[in-house]
């Protein structure tokens, strides 16, 4: 181990020296490479403060883990490949003439600009980064910008100077020294407001002002207060108010480091064709709300109209919507004061319907109002086509499929019942390739999955009772009813699945979503349970070893000779089931420990081959601070709770014990139903480290507890470890449970803890890199498993947490990201206790994960 570390250290040291020597290759003799920047503020270093360093016009070349990779790429490029080509042409007599005679002079010159001659050099320069040369003019501008940065934070007497020092051959360090002095503190706040209406509104909201006495002056506070007041006025009836009506006057003369701001709010400026004048602001009210739409199916263009709860509805052609469907998404109502937030809510609701193109909402003065303070609201809705046919295709990779092609066909029908409902009917299919030994078909495309789904969406809560007081319409509620069926062939036990879901969705507030699955029904039928020991080969091997151990007691008809290896093996399914039954009824006498292990194999077989009926309800709550796809500083918190089997348990009690199977379990439609409670917590946090670097973290905890009619969790609701979105040093289903060493082909359990951290950085162009660490495992808890190697046993089980590390590459295609991760087992709890660290640190033991988009 010590020799390996020494070799690695020597390699890193040699590479560092080699790279360092070539840093200044493209730096002119009279210039210097900007290698370091120091910023000292009041004799304290702020060089690592990103907000401060972002003020500089020049910063050193970017680095990845201390190496200036992009600078080296640029330096490796030939700066003048065309000139080198011309010199090569003239180096030998007659070479130029010979090529010109063969290709023509024009083609010879074009060859110098081709990829063969110049391509690699142009590529290196494009993805690389030219050396940052010290520029005294930019250094001066950086000093002035630092001065302005601290001035905006209340340090009005800031002084900045700088020095440029040589630190070696063609290298320099720039040091900025900042003396801020004492900050100015907000003292007395006064106002000068010309409109009485604005003055009255300001007094109602001044207690919430961002500008407060005793707080250090900050220019950002004044900008935030301007925006806050503008929003407040617009939402309280002041139509056409703009931020430029608000300004500030700051008195700092002879105040002993006190800043006395005065808030100035002007009258409204009105521009006509010939002149401009000012007038006091007024409170506006909505006098009418008109909704305009059209019937795209109708040939006649006559106007159809309707009035509903104070709304006027006009349609070109026959009105094809129930009035309530058009007025429910509108929050602007006649007789109420103008409020800009109501327009925003209306936009969101109408866009969320997916029935209309982006709507237009236009306000215009009401000519019937002599006071000029009434507004007519006109809402223009252009319907989307009633039918849409959507065709999709995708390439997929999973723990089951090495390669797969997936296609789907969806028919979308809008406004099905004239209430803005959407009906979706879709079919899907997938053909894939798998090298799994349990699949006897060795052709390339040897697995198949297909299915169909029907989904109906209502833009409201579809429920017998009125829920408007609990889930208000500004929460944009919707109801989804969906039914689906799918079938697998050559995938494990070849499952058939039937699902039915009744769910409600709403948005309690911005960036918060809630979903209630009132009914989430899933029936899973295993088509080929007899194929179990072909699929779960590790279980078969363990059972076969026991049969060979007690071969003298086993019926010889249970065995057969493998024609490829010549070994004696149990026959699937006659031999495996016969051996298990004989052990169970005592025909074959085994040790008590072997009896428990064989019985455990049988219990797992029964569990994974039985049909599952899951009749559940669940609630999911998600909150996020992510503003857009470019936001790199945000968090997402998601929690979910699910309960299954209670309704069917109630029905079973009402019917007595008539519907029970041989195991004493209650059944519904002759299927033993699952009963459990499950809860999950998922937290994702991103930190923007600037200059293309992001630190992303994820923490997950989940537990499913069986009770009542079940002593274990259905396979489809259990947890697994490993894979491209989990602990990437293990393949999917190959981690855990606990310290058991992953004895099964598909290892799963009902309790999971996981934590991942990943540092992402740009390498060059669209190619990004990452280094990561993943910690976690799965355990059995509160179920039928009793082996302490599998179960969670309090704090001592934290030593079973697996630790994987690695690195990866991501190529950003803008609309999706292709990800390649290389994982290594740093701490493997499945190994002997004194042999767990760094046993997977070998390139031959690399776990390769391919994924689409980021894991979290």
């Amino acid at each position: 181990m010590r020799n390996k570390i020494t070799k690695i250290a020597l390699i890193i040291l040699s590479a560092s020296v080699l790279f360092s020597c070539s840093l200044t290759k493209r730096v002119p003799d009279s210039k210097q490479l900007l290698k370091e920047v120091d910023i000292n503020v009041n004799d304290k270093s702020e060089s690592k403060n990103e907000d401060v360093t972002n003020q500089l016009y020049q910063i050193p070349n970017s680095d990845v883990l201390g190496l200036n990779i992009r600078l080296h790429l640029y330096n490796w490029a030939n700066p003048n490949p065309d000139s080198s080509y011309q010199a090569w042409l003239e180096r030998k007599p007659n070479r130029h003439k010979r090529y010109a005679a063969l290709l023509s002079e024009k083609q010879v010159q074009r060859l110098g600009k081709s990829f063969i001659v110049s391509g690699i050099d142009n590529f290196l320069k494009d993805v690389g980064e030219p050396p940052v040369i010290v520029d005294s003019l930019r250094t001066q501008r950086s000093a002035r910008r630092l001065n302005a940065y601290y001035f905006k934070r209340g340090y009005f007497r800031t002084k900045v100077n700088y020095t440029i020092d040589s630190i070696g051959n063609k290298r320099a360090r720039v040091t900025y020294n900042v003396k801020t002095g004492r900050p100015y503190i907000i003292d007395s706040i006064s106002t000068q407001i010309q409109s009485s209406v604005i003055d009255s509104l300001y007094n109602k909201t001044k207690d919430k002002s961002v500008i407060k006495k005793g707080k250090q002056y900050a220019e950002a506070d004044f900008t935030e207060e301007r925006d806050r007041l503008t929003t407040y006025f617009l939402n309280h009836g002041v139509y056409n108010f703009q931020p430029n009506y608000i300004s500030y006057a700051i008195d700092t003369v002879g105040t002993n480091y006190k800043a006395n701001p005065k808030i100035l709010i002007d009258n409204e400026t009105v521009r006509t064709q010939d002149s401009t004048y000012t007038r006091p602001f007024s409170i506006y009210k909505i006098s009418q709300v008109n909704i305009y739409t059209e019937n795209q199916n109708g040939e006649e263009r006559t106007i159809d109209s309707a009035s509903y709860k104070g709304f006027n509805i006009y349609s070109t052609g026959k009105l094809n919507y129930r009035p309530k469907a058009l007025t429910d998404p509108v929050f602007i109502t006649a007789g109420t004061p103008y409020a800009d937030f109501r327009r925003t809510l209306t936009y969101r609701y109408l866009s969320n319907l997916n029935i209309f193109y982006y709507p237009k909402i236009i306000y215009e003065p009401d000519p019937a109002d002599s006071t000029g303070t009434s507004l007519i609201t006109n809402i223009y809705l252009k319907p989307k086509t009633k039918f849409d046919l959507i065709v999709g295709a995708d390439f997929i990779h999973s723990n089951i499929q090495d390669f797969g092609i997936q296609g789907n066909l969806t028919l979308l029908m809008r406004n099905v019942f004239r209430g803005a409902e959407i009906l979706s009917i879709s079919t899907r299919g997938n053909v894939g390739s798998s090298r799994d030994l349990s699949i006897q078909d060795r052709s390339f495309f040897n697995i198949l999955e297909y299915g169909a789904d029907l989904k109906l969406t209502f833009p409201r809560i579809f429920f017998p009772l009125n829920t408007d007081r609990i889930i208000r319409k500004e929460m944009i509620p919707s109801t989804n009813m969906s039914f689906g069926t799918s079938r697998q062939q050559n995938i494990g036990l070849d499952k058939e699945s039937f699902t039915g879901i009744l769910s409600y969705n709403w948005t309690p507030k911005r960036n918060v979503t809630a979903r209630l699955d009132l009914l989430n029904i899933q029936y899973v039928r295993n088509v080929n349970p007899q194929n179990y020991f072909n699929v779960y080969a590790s279980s078969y091997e363990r059972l076969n070893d026991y049969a060979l151990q007690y071969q003298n007691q086993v019926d010889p008809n249970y065995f057969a000779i493998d024609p490829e290896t010549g070994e004696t093996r149990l026959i699937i399914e006659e031999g495996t089931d016969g051996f298990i039954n004989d052990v169970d009824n005592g025909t074959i006498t085994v040790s008590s420990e072997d009896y428990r292990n064989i019985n455990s194999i049988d219990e797992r077989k029964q569990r994974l081959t039985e049909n599952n009926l899951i009749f559940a309800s669940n609630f999911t709550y998600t909150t996020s601070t992510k503003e857009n796809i470019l936001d790199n500083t945000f968090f997402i918190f998601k929690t979910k709770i699910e309960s299954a089997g209670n309704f069917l348990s109630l029905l079973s009690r009402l019917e007595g014990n008539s519907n029970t199977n041989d195991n004493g379990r209650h059944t519904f439609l002759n299927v033993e139903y699952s009963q459990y409670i499950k809860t999950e917590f998922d937290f994702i946090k991103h930190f923007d480290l600037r200059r293309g670097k992001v630190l992303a973290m994820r923490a997950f905890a989940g537990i499913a507890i069986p009770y009542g009619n079940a002593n274990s969790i259905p396979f489809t609701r259990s947890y697994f470890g490993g894979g491209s979105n989990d602990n990437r040093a293990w393949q999917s289903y190959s981690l855990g449970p606990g310290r058991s060493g992953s004895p099964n082909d598909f290892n799963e359990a009902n309790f999971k803890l996981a934590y991942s951290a990943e540092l992402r950085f740009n390498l060059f162009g669209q190619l990004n890199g990452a280094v990561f660490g993943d910690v976690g495992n799965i355990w059995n808890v509160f179920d039928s498993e009793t082996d302490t190697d599998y179960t969670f046993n309090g704090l001592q089980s934290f030593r079973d947490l697996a630790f994987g590390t690695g690195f990866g590459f991501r190529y950003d295609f803008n609309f999706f990201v292709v990800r390649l991760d290389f994982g290594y087992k740093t701490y493997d709890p499945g190994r002997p206790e004194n042999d767990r660290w760094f046993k997977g640190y070998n390139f031959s033991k690399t776990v390769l994960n391919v994924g689409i988009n980021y894991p979290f």
Side-chain angles (χ1 to χ4, degrees):
M1 182 68 180
R2 193 171 295 175
N3 290 335
K4 288 183 179 180
I5 295 175
T6 303
K7 290 178 182 178
I8 293 172
L10 287 173
I11 292 172
I12 293 174
L13 180 62
S14 301
S16 300
V17 172
L18 178 65
F19 281 125
S20 178
C21 292
S22 62
L23 282 176
T24 57
K25 183 178 180 180
R26 303 298 179 199
V27 178
D29 291 337
S30 59
K31 303 293 184 179
Q32 291 178 305
L33 176 72
L34 180 59
K35 194 69 178 74
E36 297 178 18
V37 170
D38 292 332
I39 304 175
N40 298 314
V41 180
N42 299 327
D43 299 323
K44 181 181 177 182
S45 176
E46 292 288 345
S47 302
K48 294 184 179 181
N49 187 328
E50 293 284 349
D51 291 331
V52 176
T53 57
N54 281 342
Q55 308 307 312
L56 304 182
Y57 285 94
Q58 278 194 309
I59 55 178
N61 288 95
S62 61
D63 67 274
V64 176
L65 303 178
L67 298 177
N68 304 109
I69 294 178
R70 295 187 65 186
L71 175 57
H72 286 299
L73 291 174
Y74 185 88
N75 288 341
W76 288 340
N78 186 339
N80 299 299
D82 187 55
S83 300
S84 300
Y85 171 73
Q86 294 296 333
W88 176 80
L89 278 179
E90 306 300 335
R91 191 171 297 150
K92 288 186 177 182
N94 299 322
R95 177 181 284 172
H96 193 156
K97 291 182 180 179
R98 188 166 60 252
Y99 274 86
L102 181 65
L103 300 174
S104 81
E105 179 63 25
K106 184 177 181 181
Q107 294 297 328
V108 169
Q109 296 303 323
R110 184 175 294 176
L111 182 62
K113 295 180 172 57
S114 68
F115 182 81
I116 297 175
V117 176
S118 306
I120 187 63
D121 295 301
N122 291 332
F123 172 77
L124 289 173
K125 286 193 287 187
D126 288 341
V127 301
E129 187 179 74
V132 178
I133 308 298
V134 176
D135 185 328
S136 58
L137 180 60
R138 291 190 173 187
T139 305
Q140 292 174 16
R141 293 174 62 194
S142 296
R144 289 196 294 269
R145 194 167 177 180
L146 282 170
N147 191 304
Y149 174 81
Y150 284 99
F151 185 92
K152 292 178 180 179
R153 281 153 181 76
Y155 299 99
F156 295 155
R157 300 185 182 183
T158 298
K159 294 181 180 180
V160 181
N161 59 60
Y162 64 88
T163 58
I164 302 175
D165 302 309
S166 298
I167 57 173
N169 182 33
K170 295 186 184 180
R171 294 175 175 85
R173 177 198 299 118
V174 177
T175 303
Y176 297 91
N177 294 299
V178 182
K179 299 293 183 182
T180 63
R182 287 173 56 188
Y184 276 72
I185 306 300
I186 300 294
D187 193 36
S188 62
I189 304 170
S190 59
T191 61
Q192 183 178 312
I193 303 174
Q194 296 183 9
S195 295
S196 59
V197 164
I198 298 296
D199 186 54
S200 176
L201 289 173
Y202 174 80
N203 287 323
K204 291 178 181 178
T205 188
K206 66 180 181 180
D207 290 341
K208 298 180 181 180
S209 175
V210 182
I211 307 168
K212 297 184 181 296
K213 182 177 181 179
K215 191 176 180 181
Q216 182 174 325
Y217 175 92
E219 186 177 287
D221 289 345
F222 287 82
T223 302
E224 184 179 346
E225 177 66 3
R226 179 186 288 115
D227 293 339
R228 188 190 73 85
L229 288 174
T230 300
T231 301
Y232 184 82
F233 297 151
L234 286 172
N235 287 333
H236 289 79
V238 186
Y239 179 63
N240 272 346
F241 191 90
Q242 298 176 13
N244 60 326
Y245 287 122
I246 303 174
S247 59
Y248 303 98
I250 313 296
D251 179 18
T252 60
V253 178
T255 60
N256 190 27
Y257 292 94
K258 300 289 179 63
N260 301 315
K262 178 180 283 189
I263 302 173
L264 310 172
I265 305 181
D266 298 332
N267 278 334
E268 180 183 8
T269 300
V270 181
R271 291 177 176 84
T272 62
Q273 292 182 348
D274 301 324
S275 62
T276 300
Y277 65 94
T278 61
R279 67 183 180 190
F281 283 99
S282 301
I283 300 295
Y284 283 75
K285 287 189 175 182
I286 306 299
S287 59
Q288 294 181 40
V289 180
N290 303 318
I291 301 174
Y292 297 90
T293 184
E294 61 183 70
N295 187 338
Q296 295 182 331
N297 298 325
E299 295 182 359
E300 57 174 325
R301 311 312 291 169
T302 56
I303 302 298
D304 190 8
S305 63
S307 294
Y308 182 77
K309 292 187 176 181
F311 294 91
N312 303 315
I313 303 172
Y314 302 94
S315 174
T316 305
K318 184 180 179 180
L319 181 62
N320 200 31
Y321 303 89
R322 292 200 301 271
K324 179 178 171 59
L326 296 179
T327 60
D328 270 0
V330 177
F331 295 86
I332 307 165
T333 56
T336 60
Y338 166 82
D340 196 58
F341 78 92
R342 297 185 184 278
R343 173 166 54 177
T344 304
L345 274 174
T346 302
Y347 275 130
R348 285 179 56 202
Y349 203 143
L350 286 170
S351 299
N352 196 66
L353 290 177
N354 196 26
I355 293 290
F356 306 102
Y357 292 102
Y358 196 75
K360 293 181 181 179
I361 302 177
I362 298 174
Y363 294 95
E364 60 182 35
D366 187 347
D369 182 11
S370 59
T371 65
T373 58
S374 294
L375 295 172
I376 297 175
T377 307
N378 295 318
I379 302 174
Y380 299 92
L381 305 176
K382 182 175 177 58
K384 293 183 178 180
T385 56
K386 186 174 182 63
F387 298 98
D388 262 349
L389 189 63
I390 303 171
V391 181
D394 199 4
F395 298 102
I396 58 176
H397 167 81
S398 69
N399 58 296
I400 297 175
Q401 299 182 67
D402 301 309
F403 173 78
I405 301 175
Q406 180 176 281
N408 57 74
L409 181 66
T410 301
L411 175 63
L412 210 63
M413 292 178 279
R414 297 184 175 91
N415 197 35
V416 181
F417 306 118
R418 300 181 63 242
E421 305 87 358
I422 296 178
L423 177 64
S424 170
I425 302 174
S426 61
T427 59
R428 62 186 187 280
N430 168 41
V431 291
S433 172
S434 177
R435 293 170 293 179
D436 195 302
L437 297 178
S438 65
I439 299 178
Q440 298 178 359
D441 183 356
R442 307 320 297 170
S443 59
F444 183 76
F445 288 112
N446 55 359
I447 58 179
L448 172 66
E449 184 173 4
Y450 53 90
D453 297 283
L454 185 147
K455 180 179 179 181
L456 181 60
T457 301
F458 298 87
R460 54 194 167 275
I461 297 296
F462 192 82
F463 197 72
L465 302 178
N466 190 339
T467 62
D468 291 347
R469 292 186 178 181
I470 303 172
I471 304 176
R472 302 181 304 276
K473 75 170 188 174
E474 54 263 36
M475 296 182 182
I476 313 181
S478 65
T479 302
N480 293 322
M481 296 180 183
S482 63
F483 305 91
T485 180
S486 64
R487 172 76 185 266
Q488 298 174 344
Q489 289 185 7
N490 278 352
I491 303 178
L493 304 179
D494 294 349
K495 298 179 184 296
E496 288 181 341
S497 179
F498 303 91
T499 59
I501 299 175
L502 171 61
S503 68
Y504 303 103
N505 302 269
W506 66 97
T507 306
K509 56 184 178 179
R510 182 172 174 81
N511 293 329
V512 175
T513 59
R515 170 172 172 153
L516 172 64
D517 284 6
L518 187 62
L519 295 176
N520 189 315
I521 304 170
Q522 182 180 35
Y523 171 62
V524 179
R525 175 176 172 265
N526 294 294
V527 180
N528 295 311
Q530 69 278 2
N531 201 34
Y532 175 82
F533 282 115
N534 288 320
V535 176
Y536 296 90
S538 61
S539 296
Y540 170 78
E541 293 298 337
R542 297 207 312 274
L543 187 67
N544 188 66
D545 289 342
Y546 284 120
L548 293 176
Q549 182 179 341
Y550 297 98
Q551 187 173 359
N552 60 332
Q553 301 182 56
V554 181
D555 187 336
N557 293 321
Y558 293 168
F559 293 105
I561 303 298
D562 189 324
E564 295 184 3
T565 64
E567 297 178 349
T568 300
R569 301 180 69 80
L570 281 173
I571 300 171
I572 302 174
E573 163 183 46
E574 295 86 347
T576 54
D577 287 356
F579 175 66
I580 291 173
N581 291 333
D582 288 351
V583 170
D584 187 55
N585 60 32
T587 304
I588 299 175
T589 304
V590 300
S591 67
S592 58
E593 182 178 354
D594 289 348
Y595 180 85
R596 285 195 302 271
N597 293 334
I598 294 171
N599 187 57
S600 176
I601 293 173
D602 184 43
E603 284 183 354
R604 180 172 172 82
K605 174 179 179 292
Q606 297 303 323
R607 173 171 170 253
L608 297 184
T609 57
E610 68 183 2
N611 299 330
N612 294 129
L613 176 61
I614 303 171
F615 203 104
S617 299
N618 63 66
F619 177 73
T620 305
Y621 180 89
T622 305
T623 179
S624 170
T625 61
K626 189 170 185 178
E627 298 293 336
N628 51 61
I629 59 173
L630 301 177
D631 187 0
N632 287 323
T633 302
F634 66 90
F635 77 83
I636 299 173
F637 175 72
K638 180 180 179 180
T639 183
K640 179 179 179 180
I641 185 168
E642 178 173 286
S643 177
N646 294 330
F647 179 73
L648 294 183
S649 177
L650 179 62
L651 289 181
S652 178
R653 290 178 183 178
L654 294 176
E655 294 178 357
N657 295 324
S658 57
N659 295 326
T660 56
N661 59 16
D662 295 337
N663 298 323
R665 305 286 182 185
H666 297 292
T667 62
F668 183 77
L669 299 178
N670 295 322
V671 180
E672 184 179 315
Y673 59 84
S674 301
Q675 193 168 10
Y676 62 86
I677 187 166
K678 181 178 183 180
T679 185
E680 296 177 349
F681 300 92
D682 196 355
F683 181 75
I684 296 172
K685 174 64 179 174
H686 284 209
F687 299 90
D688 190 349
L689 305 182
R690 310 293 174 88
R691 301 189 70 184
K693 297 184 182 70
V694 174
L695 177 62
M697 298 187 298
R698 182 194 183 196
F700 176 88
I703 186 171
I705 303 174
Y707 67 96
N709 203 52
N711 60 6
S712 61
I713 300 299
F715 186 85
T716 56
R717 294 294 203 269
S718 61
Y719 297 108
F720 68 91
S724 60
N725 295 326
D726 195 67
N727 199 320
R728 286 160 280 185
W730 280 262
Q731 295 286 3
S732 298
Y733 292 97
S734 67
L735 173 61
R739 57 181 180 273
S740 65
S742 309
N744 301 307
D745 299 273
F746 298 94
N747 298 279
E748 41 80 39
N750 64 323
F751 177 46
K752 179 175 182 177
L753 294 174
Y755 174 81
S756 296
E758 181 172 285
L759 177 63
R760 302 167 184 169
F761 46 83
N762 179 255
L763 293 174
F764 49 81
Q766 300 294 97
L767 182 64
N768 300 306
V771 291
F772 59 82
D774 302 318
V775 179
N777 207 335
I778 57 173
W779 295 268
N780 290 92
V781 61
F782 303 126
D783 64 359
S784 58
E785 182 61 60
T786 58
D787 192 327
T788 56
D789 287 347
Y790 291 72
T791 57
F792 187 82
N793 306 296
L795 294 178
Q796 61 177 319
S797 290
F798 283 109
R799 65 183 178 180
D800 299 339
L801 289 169
F803 180 32
T805 55
F807 63 94
F809 301 96
R810 294 92 168 85
Y811 194 86
D812 191 347
F813 287 95
N814 293 323
F815 50 94
F816 71 94
V817 174
V818 174
R819 175 165 51 91
L820 190 64
D821 287 326
F822 300 83
Y824 299 91
K825 296 177 177 64
T826 305
Y827 177 82
D828 186 353
R831 297 181 64 87
E833 193 162 351
N834 297 323
D835 193 35
R836 294 178 175 179
W837 285 98
F838 301 108
K839 296 303 178 181
Y841 264 58
N842 189 306
F843 279 110
S844 64
K845 298 179 180 179
T846 301
V847 177
L848 179 63
N849 286 286
V850 179
I852 302 297
N853 295 326
Y854 290 103
F856 48 86

